[in-house]
Amino acid sequence: MKPILIRGGHLIDPATGIDAPHDILLEDGKVAAIDKPGKIKRKDAEILDASGLVVAPGLVDIHVHLREPGQGYKETIASGTAAAAAGGFTSVCCMPNTIPVNDSPEITRWMLAPERNAVIRVFPISAATVGSMGEKLTNYPALKKSGAVGVSDDGKPILGDEIMFECLKAATRYRLPVIQHTEDTRLTAGCSMNAGPVAFRLGLRGMTVESESSLAERDIALVRKVKGAHLHVAHLSSKKALDAVNAARNEGLHVTCEVAPHHFVLNEERIGDYDTNAKMNPPLRAESDRAAMIEGILQGRVDCIATDHAPHACHEKEQEFERAPNGITGLETALGLTISVLHKQHGMPLPSLLAMLTHRPAQVLSLTGRGTLAVGSHADVVLFDPNEKWTFRAKDSRSKSKNTPFDGYPMLGRVHTTISEGRIVFQR
Ligand code: DOR
Ligand code: ZN
């Protein structure tokens, strides 16, 4: 592999605090050197001209659904990682709600096999309980050894107090974070959107924010009893749950959380007249909750941004609202939405915003050498123009699925090149 010298760009690496014009040399899959413009000389290197572009660590998404094994018609590891690369991501952590559920070292290893043709790094999150049935713990040490970076029953929250307590204890013993989809499904049966005036108008049963916050509070009460436990709250969507997470942090508990772009960009009104491409779980919430997500992010109370990329086929989404599956794609719109809304509309500095897409998510799941451009780390890099205006078109997506509420959405900030471990994996 030829070394790559990226010249003339504005380097932002939140982990090391660099925010200045710098050149960077990538060699043997690692960051080999960083220096002031023009200082690095390498005759044998491929030169990438990054004038006018930001050069940042490749983005890290700790919550995606890649659908393999079992549902390759929605997405494959190859197509999902290609979409990720187009969105500037170089590391993705994939949820275990595949068919079969990823609850074994064999499936975890299968996902990591070269035959899957992943174009960027994939880090599997294995099921916390066998079949994600919430009854019996999976084999945490074996899963960790096979490559799992966390355990979760995402989509099927662990409801039983006893089993969640056991899960936290075992995960702590093997230094694995427990990622919980905090939804008390006993309170949301038959619900297909947020509880509120839109659900009332559409005649749909609504999920209350308490169905999210009450399970977060229960989990936090259990974390209090397990010394050293790390709970990560997935796709947090309500002020109430965010307040619970922050109270836990103020107590000194290791509780982290993520927010998905759709939860800080859209509110429940986007469902309009039963648009299933705006149906996901947790659902789009009230405007006050959307505003609370923005405020929480601006105040540094949210650890990271994660997409919850959840591809579904057209024929599945083209059903009555209540029957359509939950989820939207998100890998190719995350950076543009984040820059458009957090940076442009709310004045969040680019380094702070990039921290939530790079070294902070890498930290949450202990992905060493990812999410930073420090010398010696993996040569995962994204080049993007923070000022380029463009319109996202679902039909051009690399994902096999086109279920997005952002088709035709104007964006600011566009990915130009993505490099994974020193290889160019996407170039516009
Ligand atoms: O919207 C969602 N889609 N939420 C989940 O928890 C699961 C996901 C999926 O797998 O489609
Ligand atoms: Zn989930």
Side-chain angles (χ1 to χ4, degrees):
M1 211 162 38
K2 228 176 154 183
I4 296 178
L5 176 55
I6 306 170
R7 285 202 307 215
H10 185 96
L11 200 136
I12 301 181
D13 182 20
T16 56
I18 300 177
D19 177 8
H22 267 11
D23 293 350
I24 174 168
L25 178 72
L26 313 176
E27 189 166 20
D28 297 329
K30 296 281 165 66
V31 176
I34 291 179
D35 214 332
K36 304 228 160 58
K39 291 262 189 228
I40 308 173
K41 310 262 188 246
R42 271 298 286 266
K43 287 219 171 71
D44 58 334
E46 175 179 349
I47 308 289
L48 282 190
D49 177 14
S51 326
L53 303 178
V54 167
V55 179
L59 311 182
V60 177
D61 189 348
I62 62 172
H63 193 143
V64 305
H65 298 269
L66 295 180
R67 304 301 188 211
E68 260 192 326
Q71 293 178 306
Y73 67 97
K74 295 181 197 248
E75 196 79 286
T76 60
I77 290 172
S79 67
T81 55
F89 290 91
T90 51
S91 301
V92 292
C93 304
C94 58
M95 285 297 176
N97 63 339
T98 46
I99 302 175
V101 168
N102 176 19
D103 60 3
S104 70
E106 290 76 15
I107 300 174
T108 302
R109 281 196 295 268
W110 183 92
M111 288 174 161
L112 291 170
E115 291 81 358
R116 304 290 85 74
N117 292 316
V119 299
I120 59 155
R121 267 300 143 186
V122 171
F123 297 93
I125 293 163
S126 296
T129 68
V130 175
S132 285
M133 300 298 279
E135 283 160 13
K136 186 172 175 286
L137 297 188
T138 50
N139 185 341
Y140 294 3
L143 289 167
K144 181 164 181 170
K145 204 160 160 249
S146 65
V149 293
V151 291
S152 178
D153 283 347
D154 185 44
K156 286 197 172 177
I158 304 170
L159 296 182
D161 299 348
E162 201 59 43
I163 187 80
M164 186 61 177
F165 185 46
E166 292 306 318
C167 165
L168 285 164
K169 282 196 292 190
T172 305
R173 194 171 315 130
Y174 299 104
R175 293 171 192 267
L176 284 164
V178 175
I179 305 162
Q180 174 84 300
H181 168 130
T182 46
E183 173 195 356
D184 188 335
T185 46
R186 291 163 297 202
L187 304 175
T188 57
C191 298
S192 53
M193 65 171 295
N194 184 50
V198 182
F200 185 75
R201 171 172 65 81
L202 297 175
L204 296 170
R205 283 169 70 112
M207 308 181 194
T208 60
V209 291
E210 286 77 16
S211 64
E212 180 173 78
S213 61
S214 64
L215 200 63
E217 282 159 12
R218 190 286 310 261
D219 288 347
I220 289 162
L222 292 173
V223 168
R224 218 173 265 135
K225 291 190 190 174
V226 183
K227 198 167 171 290
H230 175 195
L231 171 74
H232 179 73
V233 177
H235 43 49
L236 190 143
S237 68
S238 65
K239 177 175 190 307
K240 243 184 163 158
L242 181 58
D243 288 347
V245 166
N246 280 290
R249 289 209 291 214
N250 291 339
E251 250 182 74
L253 301 177
H254 193 188
V255 180
T256 52
C257 68
E258 72 197 25
V259 170
H262 48 270
H263 287 128
F264 66 74
V265 176
L266 304 175
N267 65 31
E268 58 191 348
E269 300 284 348
R270 176 63 185 79
I271 290 169
D273 285 324
Y274 308 97
D275 184 349
T276 58
N277 282 331
K279 180 183 180 187
M280 75 293 286
N281 191 6
L284 296 176
R285 299 284 188 188
E287 175 55 22
S288 55
D289 280 310
R290 185 191 77 90
M293 295 304 101
I294 300 250
E295 198 185 303
I297 289 169
L298 296 177
Q299 293 172 345
R301 297 192 294 141
V302 174
D303 294 272
C304 54
I305 294 169
T307 66
D308 195 10
H309 176 81
H312 292 290
C314 283
H315 71 272
E316 295 168 316
K317 279 293 196 181
E318 284 168 9
Q319 298 189 68
E320 298 91 316
F321 195 84
E322 287 169 290
R323 290 166 64 118
N326 283 304
I328 63 167
T329 58
L331 286 163
E332 288 156 291
T333 46
L335 184 66
L337 290 171
T338 304
I339 293 175
S340 307
V341 175
L342 297 181
H343 179 59
K344 180 80 176 159
Q345 283 178 24
H346 292 276
M348 186 176 190
L350 279 179
S352 318
L353 164 170
L354 285 170
M356 298 186 73
L357 284 162
T358 57
H359 92 279
R360 281 168 54 195
Q363 246 173 2
V364 167
L365 293 191
S366 303
L367 311 179
T368 31
R370 310 282 168 183
T372 173
L373 294 175
V375 171
S377 50
H378 294 284
D380 293 346
V381 188
V382 61
L383 275 59
F384 66 93
D385 181 348
N387 300 310
E388 184 173 335
K389 292 191 177 121
W390 61 291
T391 301
F392 176 68
R393 302 277 174 214
K395 68 170 176 43
D396 299 331
S397 170
R398 267 92 180 154
S399 170
K400 278 199 172 183
S401 294
K402 315 293 172 195
N403 52 310
T404 167
F406 298 112
D407 190 18
Y409 212 80
M411 307 256 178
L412 184 69
R414 192 171 208 193
V415 174
H416 277 236
T417 304
T418 306
I419 300 169
S420 166
E421 297 180 357
R423 272 171 299 108
I424 297 174
V425 291
F426 174 79
Q427 210 157 22
R428 188 165 307 287

